[in-house]
Amino acid sequence: MHEIAVCQSLLEQAMRARVAQPFDRVVSVRLAVGRLSRVEPDALQVAFDLLSRDTFLEGAVLEIDRPPVQAVCGDCGAESAVESRIPRCPACASRRLRFEGGESYRFIEMEVA
């Protein structure tokens, strides 16, 4: 389950930030999760709720941005913002699509109190 690994990484980053500059608790956390990353937002929320329990992250709001993916056609060169892997180019119906981005996740910001 990718979502648990993402949340564990997030918790580790938050702990490092807390050591560097002490704070009491986290109010909100914002992540960008690629649409092709195989990380499901609902499962990520469940994992976050479970792993943050009894920590300084408990009760924090998890905000998940889902930026679109760029698809570039290998035949006609058309570029399209897409929500998921699509089977054909929207412009020429070619199957030769290259997807740029959308497979990773990253920590954007954390609001603390």
Side-chain angles (χ1 to χ4, degrees):
M1 182 182 228
H2 299 300
E3 294 79 7
I4 290 175
V6 170
C7 287
Q8 286 172 329
S9 175
L10 174 64
L11 184 58
E12 290 168 7
Q13 289 180 47
M15 284 196 264
R16 284 193 296 276
R18 191 175 192 203
V19 168
Q21 189 173 17
F23 54 84
D24 290 328
R25 66 184 182 86
V26 174
V27 176
S28 65
V29 175
R30 190 166 153 222
L31 303 174
V33 177
R35 293 182 182 271
L36 305 180
S37 68
R38 296 188 180 107
V39 173
E40 294 296 325
D42 291 341
L44 185 59
Q45 182 67 58
V46 170
F48 180 79
D49 292 343
L50 288 172
L51 292 177
S52 66
R53 193 174 292 156
D54 298 326
T55 73
F56 60 95
L57 281 160
E58 185 171 20
V61 175
L62 179 62
E63 299 171 22
I64 304 170
D65 294 346
R66 301 281 284 173
V69 177
Q70 281 299 115
V72 180
C73 180
D75 287 332
C76 74
E79 294 184 22
S80 305
V82 298
E83 301 294 317
S84 62
R85 289 192 187 275
I86 56 174
R88 295 181 181 266
C89 172
C92 72
S94 170
R95 292 184 183 268
R96 293 187 53 219
L97 293 175
R98 182 180 75 244
F99 296 96
E100 297 179 351
E103 294 182 357
S104 63
Y105 62 89
R106 75 183 164 93
F107 175 78
I108 298 175
E109 65 184 356
M110 178 172 64
E111 181 183 348
V112 299

